Amino acid sequence: MSETNVAPTDFIREIINEDLRTGRFNYVRTRFPPEPNGYLHIGHAKAICIDFGIAEEYGGVCNLRFDDTNPAKEEAKYVQAIKEDIRWLGFDWGDREYYASDYFEQLYEWAIQLIKDGKAYVDSLSPEEIKEYRGGFGVPGKESPYRNRSVEENLDLFQRMRAGEFREGEHVLRAKIDMQSGNMNLRDPVMYRILHAPHHRTGNRWCIYPMYDWAHGQCDSIEGITHSLCDLAYEDHRPLYDWFLDQLGIFHPRQIEFARLNLSYTVLSKRYLLRLVEGGYVSGWDDPRMPTLAGMRRRGYPPEAIRAFCDRIGVAKSENLVDIALLEHCVREELNKRAPRVMGVLRPLRVVLVNYPEDQVEEVEAINNPEDPGMGVRKVPFSRVLYVEQEDFMEDPPRKWFRLAPGREVRLKHAYYITCVDVVKDERGQVVELRCTYDPETRGGGSPDGRRVLGTLHWVSAAHALDAEVRLYDYLFSKPDPMEVEEGKDFISNLNPNSLEVLDSCKVEPSLRGAAPGSRFQFLRQGYFCVDPDSTPQKLVFNRTVTLKDTWSKIAKGQQEE
RNA sequence: UGGGGGAUCGUCUAGUGGUAGGACACGUGACUCUGGAUCACGGCACCGGGGUUCGAAUCCCUGUCCCCCAGCCA
């Protein structure tokens, strides 16, 4: 690669430029290393965008490598889900799909090498004793009595560990570094533990498995990774990785750590997300309220929006809590350009046009997307009985009310001006029907006399509308930082009880018939909605992806406070 | 308590000795057949204290606060 001066936009690119300039590396290769023990979330999306994005920017490649060193927690189904999510985001790892388990044999040989060099030993302390011997912060550790076994004995024991002669916990292989180190990771870290568990790829071939710390650096090295980008949490593991690489004398990647993403009103940790799933607080990993990629996909977030978001939040080393409003902004921005407009009434209120002919049906023309005329137009049926939104009528409206009220004239989008002349109530005083007149001169939404109306409402023709269920979502948690809890409580106590509202008697325009799961629309004046896989031919199910920005709700709130 | 890292508008982030900028959020206005979209305008920040310098977010000293690490998890 010749051009080494990509404009730095963050500290990572700055370092890479320097490495290229000084000749430490003459190419760029990164990797994204998920553990197949759960689903990817928006925090992973940040890492994916950085890993794949940087490689692409520098004309290099990014490997996908599954960190599958713990068979007790990992499953093949997660491998599939992770691959699907990365592809959905729009990234491609070509044929470079690797597994830490591909390197088990090599790792084993390197372990033998360290034993022979007197740099690793088999320890037979119990897990509790190892913990005790490790010491604490400011308290130096003690050396294990097994630390000075002979090379021959270590070799023999380690080989027998592999051969399956011991029970779990009986022995481990440890690196011989420094029990006094201020860095806990250097206090003779465990390299191998015995696990009599089948592995999703290697089956029953192994009963000893490498620890992540022993595997990761060497895997990077084998793959010729130049820049190993990871979480800040691994900052003080770096000296250990360096130590292993130096002892082995193999290719030495550079590790650079950056701060993980935190998003307001949500949690981003596989452990907590698993808790939500297993506790039944959500319907699954792909619940549309989940910050998982599967959840966001089902919710209707376009992958482009997630990538735009990741670009905008930047990369740095400081702790952060990104406002979820930024993510929503990116989603709206993308959907505004792309989503076809349709009309759907969430909470229907019957409207009868008293001066409209009983059996007449007209087709009015509606533009599919004012942002993109290329998306064309469609016909929408109009007739004497319609539905409008309940909240678009007020019997006694406040100031600045642009919608329907007794005597008020509004425009029905794409159709006619109507004026409310009567209000029908049931025995409990609930408004059940509006009687309105329409002005035949205003077809298409304009009037020959040029008079103006304040508001424009969406509507559907009662006889033609399709039944639909709409699921409205709000933040899963009621606090920006769900981890901020009262004494003795945990984040579950911060769950938002109103995060899901199901509306099951919605009416949508007939053009939506047969809409495919996953397709996204803007319901005029309401927000963006995505067809859920739960839809049936009889009933469409929509997820509200995100609302439109709503100026009126602010005005109304302001008026309430007066 | 030992080790590692971090501190710039409400939030995220630029800045690398020379006018502290952008985005989101917020507020005001214009426009509008979506109270959408769009556009314009506005307020808002260098953790504290010393020093070096003509000039410091940036360099030096000093203090404070926050995060991570004591798995045979990753």
Side-chain angles (χ1 to χ4, degrees):
Chain A
M1 207 174 56
S2 52
E3 75 289 4
T4 56
N5 33 356
V6 175
T9 53
D10 57 65
F11 77 102
I12 295 178
R13 281 168 246 249
E14 220 161 85
I15 293 170
I16 294 177
N17 284 346
E18 183 67 6
D19 284 347
L20 259 16
R21 197 184 62 75
T22 60
R24 173 165 176 168
F25 300 112
N26 57 12
Y27 68 98
V28 172
R29 182 183 302 235
T30 61
R31 102 270 89 115
F32 174 64
E35 184 190 14
N37 70 339
Y39 285 71
L40 261 25
H41 54 66
I42 183 91
H44 294 110
K46 172 179 178 179
I48 291 169
C49 289
I50 291 170
D51 291 335
F52 280 90
I54 284 182
E56 193 182 328
E57 232 174 275
Y58 286 87
V61 293
C62 177
N63 294 353
L64 172 60
R65 182 176 66 241
F66 290 95
D67 261 324
D68 54 352
T69 54
N70 185 0
K73 290 186 178 171
E74 295 147 8
E75 292 179 51
K77 69 168 183 184
Y78 291 125
V79 170
Q80 265 321 111
I82 288 169
K83 282 165 35 173
E84 184 185 346
D85 285 344
I86 299 173
R87 258 187 231 111
W88 176 73
L89 257 192
F91 294 103
D92 180 23
W93 54 94
D95 58 356
R96 297 175 316 283
E97 177 177 328
Y98 302 125
Y99 294 80
S101 55
D102 294 342
Y103 313 126
F104 280 179
E105 194 62 48
Q106 173 67 262
L107 256 7
Y108 178 80
E109 282 165 28
W110 277 331
I112 297 279
Q113 183 185 328
L114 289 196
I115 292 172
K116 286 180 175 166
D117 290 347
K119 303 288 187 180
Y121 63 99
V122 173
D123 196 0
S124 306
L125 250 23
S126 70
E128 298 71 34
E129 289 168 322
I130 287 182
K131 181 181 168 69
E132 192 186 316
Y133 275 61
R134 187 153 30 227
F137 301 146
V139 184
K142 281 190 304 184
E143 295 187 351
S144 165
Y146 303 100
R147 197 175 199 254
N148 293 310
R149 287 213 251 231
S150 68
V151 169
E152 292 67 33
E153 188 182 4
N154 281 324
L155 242 25
D156 174 62
L157 251 16
F158 187 51
Q159 278 154 2
R160 288 165 61 199
M161 279 168 66
R162 177 179 185 173
E165 291 186 27
F166 305 112
R167 292 187 306 273
E168 289 185 13
E170 247 180 292
H171 306 287
V172 290
L173 185 72
R174 299 178 74 176
K176 192 188 285 188
I177 308 181
D178 179 10
M179 290 305 290
Q180 324 281 315
S181 176
N183 182 344
M184 289 293 170
N185 299 114
L186 265 19
R187 319 249 264 225
D188 288 11
V190 172
M191 295 164 63
Y192 277 95
R193 75 287 214 192
I194 297 168
L195 246 31
H196 290 285
H199 185 279
H200 70 105
R201 286 183 64 85
T202 60
N204 292 314
R205 262 184 303 189
W206 294 88
C207 62
I208 56 170
Y209 290 93
M211 297 289 290
Y212 173 87
D213 277 349
W214 164 241
H216 196 80
Q218 282 73 263
C219 292
D220 281 348
S221 177
I222 292 169
E223 294 178 14
I225 301 302
T226 56
H227 299 274
S228 184
L229 313 177
C230 65
D231 193 281
L232 249 26
Y234 295 100
E235 223 155 7
D236 48 14
H237 292 237
R238 183 162 19 95
L240 173 58
Y241 302 160
D242 288 344
W243 188 88
F244 282 138
L245 262 9
D246 291 343
Q247 299 307 315
L248 264 14
I250 58 179
F251 176 77
H252 201 137
R254 182 204 280 272
Q255 171 171 302
I256 305 171
E257 309 86 6
F258 61 88
R260 65 186 303 149
L261 167 69
N262 295 294
L263 238 203
S264 62
Y265 296 101
T266 192
V267 292
L268 292 182
S269 112
K270 277 197 247 181
R271 204 175 119 230
Y272 293 138
L273 295 178
L274 183 65
R275 173 100 186 276
L276 293 173
V277 172
E278 289 186 337
Y281 301 106
V282 294
S283 66
W285 285 101
D286 69 342
D287 186 299
R289 291 166 293 179
M290 290 282 274
T292 51
L293 296 183
M296 291 181 166
R297 176 164 59 234
R298 186 167 179 183
R299 172 91 169 240
Y301 284 21
E304 295 82 357
I306 294 173
R307 291 174 64 164
F309 170 74
C310 290
D311 284 347
R312 290 204 203 188
I313 56 176
V315 196
K317 296 190 73 157
S318 51
E319 279 291 318
N320 59 78
L321 180 60
V322 177
D323 191 343
I324 196 166
L326 178 57
L327 212 210
E328 295 182 331
H329 167 80
C330 294
V331 171
R332 289 191 186 101
E333 187 176 54
E334 181 64 29
L335 258 14
N336 178 47
K337 289 185 291 190
R338 296 204 340 223
R341 272 58 170 173
V342 293
M343 292 191 286
V345 176
L346 269 30
R347 297 175 181 87
L349 172 60
R350 195 176 143 92
V351 170
V352 175
L353 268 20
V354 295
N355 59 338
Y356 194 90
E358 286 280 352
D359 300 316
Q360 184 170 309
V361 177
E362 291 178 73
E363 300 236 286
V364 298
E365 189 174 275
I367 185 161
N368 288 329
N369 187 349
E371 301 294 320
D372 180 5
M375 289 174 72
V377 296
R378 69 188 184 285
K379 299 286 190 188
V380 184
F382 183 88
S383 64
R384 187 170 196 265
V385 182
L386 312 167
Y387 290 116
V388 299
E389 208 68 57
Q390 282 171 24
E391 46 168 51
D392 281 340
F393 172 80
M394 268 189 118
E395 198 166 12
D396 185 20
R399 288 179 295 112
K400 295 186 184 173
W401 177 257
F402 293 178
R403 313 178 189 180
L404 229 31
R408 295 274 188 104
E409 184 174 51
V410 298
R411 170 169 40 234
L412 294 181
K413 179 78 180 174
H414 309 306
Y416 293 97
Y417 289 8
I418 63 168
T419 302
C420 177
V421 294
D422 201 7
V423 178
V424 182
K425 297 180 183 175
D426 64 12
E427 58 283 359
R428 294 193 317 257
Q430 291 286 307
V431 177
V432 293
E433 180 180 300
L434 263 24
R435 308 194 57 91
C436 300
T437 56
Y438 87 111
D439 178 352
E441 298 298 308
T442 57
R443 177 167 175 155
S447 66
D449 63 4
R451 75 178 187 277
R452 308 178 59 98
V453 289
L454 255 20
T456 301
L457 309 188
H458 60 277
W459 53 274
V460 293
S461 167
H464 305 85
L466 270 30
D467 291 322
E469 173 179 319
V470 173
R471 299 171 183 171
L472 305 179
Y473 301 104
D474 195 355
Y475 301 140
L476 232 197
F477 293 92
S478 45
K479 277 194 182 167
D481 178 7
M483 288 305 153
E484 186 191 302
V485 290
E486 292 169 37
E487 276 292 310
K489 292 190 172 177
D490 73 354
F491 74 104
I492 295 295
S493 67
N494 282 329
L495 243 15
N496 174 7
N498 305 313
S499 60
L500 169 62
E501 183 181 1
V502 179
L503 269 21
D504 61 4
S505 46
C506 311
K507 299 286 187 179
V508 300
E509 65 169 72
S511 72
L512 252 8
R513 191 184 306 283
S519 44
R520 299 180 274 246
F521 300 91
Q522 184 196 101
F523 285 13
L524 239 43
R525 302 207 303 139
Q526 312 238 54
Y528 297 97
F529 296 76
C530 179
V531 180
D532 191 86
D534 286 348
S535 294
T536 64
Q538 289 71 42
K539 192 170 199 176
L540 283 161
V541 178
F542 290 93
N543 295 311
R544 185 174 67 193
T545 307
V546 65
T547 59
L548 251 24
K549 281 207 277 183
D550 182 2
T551 312
W552 166 249
S553 69
K554 281 180 196 168
I555 297 172
K557 206 177 161 200
Q559 292 189 350
Q560 247 176 28
E561 283 162 6
E562 279 168 18

